[in-house]
Amino acid sequence: QGHLTVRGVRLLHAVVRDTILTSPAVTHTCDEAVPRRWCAAWGHPINQEDLLGTLLTFTVSVLNALDRIGIPYDDDGAEGYVHAWCVVGAQLGIDPGLLPLTRAEATELADTIYRRQHGASAAGEQLMDVLLAQMELAMPWGLRKLPRTLVRQMTRPGVADLVGVPKAAWWRSLLDATRATGSALRRVPGADKVFAVPGDLLGRSMIRMFVDSELDGVRPAFRLDVT
């Protein structure tokens, strides 16, 4: 099933790439006033660096975020996690010679792509605004500012400002305290279940919102079958 899903994503990439390059609906210009456009300075759409950079956000960025909020994990498991995603990356069409063999290599590669590609943009701010609006809409009362606060806590310094993330909630300092004491607290019997409760509640809130939207006909269904 996983292999079929990866094939479907690779096919989707190919369709998007071809549409950008050949569709008359996409204007090839760098003029930001044009809504549907492709700027030649961006290079080839969904190219090797784009794919690799995205892969690294699913791996080292996730692990670094866990470090920033003090969630412990097994180091060998982290290496295996990076490797598993690199196997997916190879099936998505990334040149195997570009894929990192270790987390350390992946981190170095992520830093290189960050220096090359990260910058402020109107499109980035618009995408972040939509994503935050969706997540905050799903939050229980009193926790609407949780997504923006976690984005600021879990990303490297400066990233949140690049994409226009609003200020964090006043209680952000509590997350720093959790990071400092989390490892010790998790050694207490039964503590893991306690720490899992907030994540379960928030996850269920978001899933419930998306399911309700689907049932109400607000969100169109998306399905891509690969045979």
Side-chain angles (χ1 to χ4, degrees):
Q1 181 59 49
H3 179 61
L4 290 175
T5 300
V6 172
R7 288 177 58 195
V9 173
R10 185 168 181 173
L11 177 60
L12 177 62
H13 288 167
V15 171
V16 172
R17 187 182 297 114
D18 183 71
T19 299
I20 291 173
L21 293 175
T22 64
S23 173
V26 179
T27 304
H28 289 251
T29 177
C30 295
D31 183 359
E32 293 190 359
V34 179
R36 292 184 178 179
R37 66 188 177 94
W38 184 261
C39 178
W42 298 338
H44 199 70
I46 316 184
N47 56 42
Q48 289 287 296
E49 186 175 7
D50 293 340
L51 291 169
L52 192 55
T54 304
L55 179 75
L56 295 172
T57 64
F58 292 159
T59 52
V60 292
S61 293
V62 172
L63 296 172
N64 291 341
L66 295 178
D67 291 338
R68 291 188 179 98
I69 58 177
I71 296 180
Y73 52 83
D74 178 72
D75 289 336
D76 289 338
E79 292 286 350
Y81 177 73
V82 172
H83 174 73
W85 267 108
C86 286
V87 173
V88 174
Q91 294 185 36
L92 284 172
I94 300 176
D95 184 342
L98 299 176
L99 292 167
L101 297 178
T102 64
R103 179 184 178 183
E105 289 183 14
T107 299
E108 183 178 356
L109 188 56
D111 289 341
T112 299
I113 295 178
Y114 177 85
R115 290 191 297 268
R116 280 174 47 83
Q117 300 293 353
H118 278 219
S121 70
E125 291 189 21
Q126 182 179 14
L127 179 59
M128 187 75 254
D129 183 62
V130 172
L131 291 173
L132 276 181
Q134 287 289 311
M135 289 188 289
E136 294 185 351
L137 181 64
M139 293 296 102
W141 184 85
L143 293 177
R144 288 294 171 89
K145 292 185 178 181
L146 179 61
R148 69 183 66 178
T149 304
L150 287 178
V151 169
R152 286 194 167 273
Q153 183 75 15
M154 298 169 74
T155 56
R156 67 171 72 197
V159 170
D161 292 328
L162 284 178
V163 290
V165 176
K167 291 182 179 179
W170 62 268
W171 42 261
R172 179 182 174 181
S173 57
L174 296 177
L175 295 177
D176 294 326
T178 301
R179 177 178 59 184
T181 61
S183 297
L185 290 175
R186 283 179 173 81
R187 287 195 289 268
V188 177
D192 285 342
K193 294 182 179 179
V194 175
F195 276 95
V197 170
D200 289 343
L201 289 175
L202 296 176
R204 288 177 182 274
S205 295
M206 291 197 65
I207 292 172
R208 186 179 300 113
M209 184 200 73
F210 288 124
V211 170
D212 288 346
S213 297
E214 181 80 28
L215 293 175
D216 292 339
V218 175
R219 185 179 303 280
F222 176 78
R223 183 184 180 94
L224 180 64
D225 291 319
V226 180
T227 58

